[in-house]
């Protein structure tokens, strides 16, 4: 676009140029000094040493960014599991930063949630000069190239940059993990161990049935109390007795199966004791769940130990923690739903889906069950599996309100005392 000048002489042109430049400067530059002193929404004066830990079985890679060292990051390694060596390296970082700047800085440490658990974070939090964070690795944005470079060095630097952005207050830069206490983490062991034992029990049962089916034998129940007596009476499909080695193998399978049955009983006793436990912050949450018809001790223990013991600010946080939050895909004219995120606690999510199917049978007159039936009817009897996931999310929120605030679910039937 050509410049607009007056057409009467050079002096008029020069005057218009000056006025135009002055107007541009007034638009671009701040007018008053008060506007220059307005604090920014994102803080940049973070006086600390930022450290990331890349953990493995053999080595721990320490990536640090210290004040007075510019934008250059330093990297050092210690032997995996050497917590004393880690603190020695932290001390060296503080001494070097103090020598450069004359000030002793605290440390802000970040690590990914993984197989090492949370013991390192708990150990670091004991020191008042260390601020420790555990990040969900899947929440960190990475390059979307088909073949992206991935090394421990690059991952360590990425963690440090992510930590810097998080401390500056940038939203949605990552998701930090709420680290459970040692007691809270230990409370989950009972339900998780029982699930593992039940899975092993199913494997042995199927193996025994498979061995017998190969000889033309069906209808044998390894879980019955007379399993060994019935084993002696079994005959193959052609009327012969069981071969000796096959019978010995099945007996050993029964030995392992009986051991698992006893261990499951022991774990269930510990689970019942957990449900009867009284806590100051949540004195009767597990007992309240068991009062609802359709929720047995196993469901109550999983709901309590895996999710409802935590504090949630709103129902969206609860649904996201269980992986039942929706994931829309909206871009331009595209607007579709991809389903639930499945990014939360898988045990809680699976339990809620199972409980939702059971809820339709045990609580058919409740408002949630009526909502499900009406939704399925409007869909012509289709999309039941998708609707049951939506019911699971609604039911989880309703149980959370019932446990924390005492809001009774509409139309629910309690167990008779």
């Amino acid at each position: 676009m050509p410049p607009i000048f007056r057409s009467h002489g050079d002096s008029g042109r020069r005057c218009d140029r000056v006025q135009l430049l002055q107007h541009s400067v007034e638009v671009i530059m701040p007018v008053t000094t008060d506007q220059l002193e307005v604090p920014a929404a994102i803080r940049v004066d973070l006086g600390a040493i930022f450290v990331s830990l890349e953990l493995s079985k053999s080595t721990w890679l320490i990536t640090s960014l210290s004040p007075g060292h510019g934008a250059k990051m330093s990297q050092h390694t210690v032997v995996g599991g050497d917590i004393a060596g880690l603190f020695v390296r932290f001390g060296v970082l503080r001494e070097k930063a103090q020598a450069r700047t004359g000030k002793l800085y605290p440390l802000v440490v970040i690590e990914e949630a993984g197989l090492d658990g949370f013991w390192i974070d708990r150990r670091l939090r004991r020191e008042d000069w260390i601020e420790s964070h555990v990040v969900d690795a899947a929440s960190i944005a990475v390059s979307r190239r088909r073949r992206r470079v991935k090394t421990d060095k690059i991952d360590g630097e990425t963690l440090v940059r992510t930590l810097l952005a998080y401390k500056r207050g940038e939203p949605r830069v990552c998701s930090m993990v709420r680290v459970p206490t040692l007691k809270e983490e230990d409370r989950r062991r009972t339900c998780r161990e029982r699930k593992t034992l039940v899975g092993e029990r199913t494997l042995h049962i199927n193996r025994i049935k498979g061995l017998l089916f190969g000889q033309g034998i069906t209808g044998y129940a390894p879980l019955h109390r007379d399993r060994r007596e019935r084993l002696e009476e079994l005959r193959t499909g052609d009327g012969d007795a069981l071969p000796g080695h096959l019978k010995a193998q099945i007996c050993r399978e029964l030995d392992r199966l009986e051991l698992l049955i006893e261990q499951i009983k022991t774990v269930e006793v510990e689970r019942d004791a957990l449900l009867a436990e009284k806590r100051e912050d949540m004195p009767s949450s597990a007992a309240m769940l068991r009062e609802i018809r359709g929720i047995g001790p196993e469901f109550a223990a999983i709901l309590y130990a895996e999710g409802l013991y935590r504090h949630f600010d709103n129902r969206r946080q609860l649904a996201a923690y269980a992986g039942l939050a929706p994931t829309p895909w909206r871009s331009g004219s595209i607007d579709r739903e991809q389903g639930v995120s499945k990014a939360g606690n898988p045990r809680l999510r699976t339990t809620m889906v199972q409980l939702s199917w059971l809820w339709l049978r045990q609580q058919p007159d409740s408002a949630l069950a009526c909502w499900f039936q009406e939704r399925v009817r409007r869909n012509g009897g289709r999309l039941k599996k998708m609707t049951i996931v939506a019911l699971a999310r609604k039911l989880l929120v309703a149980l959370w309100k019932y446990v924390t605030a005492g809001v009774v679910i509409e139309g629910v039937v309690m167990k008779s005392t």
Side-chain angles (χ1 to χ4, degrees), residues 122-174:
R122 296 193 188 102
R123 179 61 185 88
L124 296 179
R125 288 176 182 270
R126 295 178 187 173
E127 307 296 331
D128 55 0
W129 50 277
I130 297 180
E131 177 184 341
S132 180
H133 298 275
V134 180
V135 65
D136 179 12
S139 67
I140 300 176
V142 296
S143 173
R144 295 188 296 174
R145 293 190 178 96
R146 182 176 180 181
R147 291 184 178 178
R148 66 180 181 90
V149 180
K150 185 185 185 306
T151 63
D152 288 342
K153 178 181 179 180
I154 295 177
D155 290 347
E157 294 176 353
T158 302
L159 282 177
V160 172
R161 294 190 183 96
T162 302
L163 180 60
L164 286 168
Y166 175 79
K167 293 299 292 182
R168 286 196 302 265
E170 296 185 16
R172 299 183 181 182
V173 66
C174 65

Side-chain angles (χ1 to χ4, degrees), residues 323-341:
L324 294 172
T327 53
W329 183 280
R330 297 170 184 169
S331 179
S333 60
I334 302 175
D335 187 359
R336 63 184 179 88
E337 181 60 48
Q338 304 177 98
V340 295
S341 63

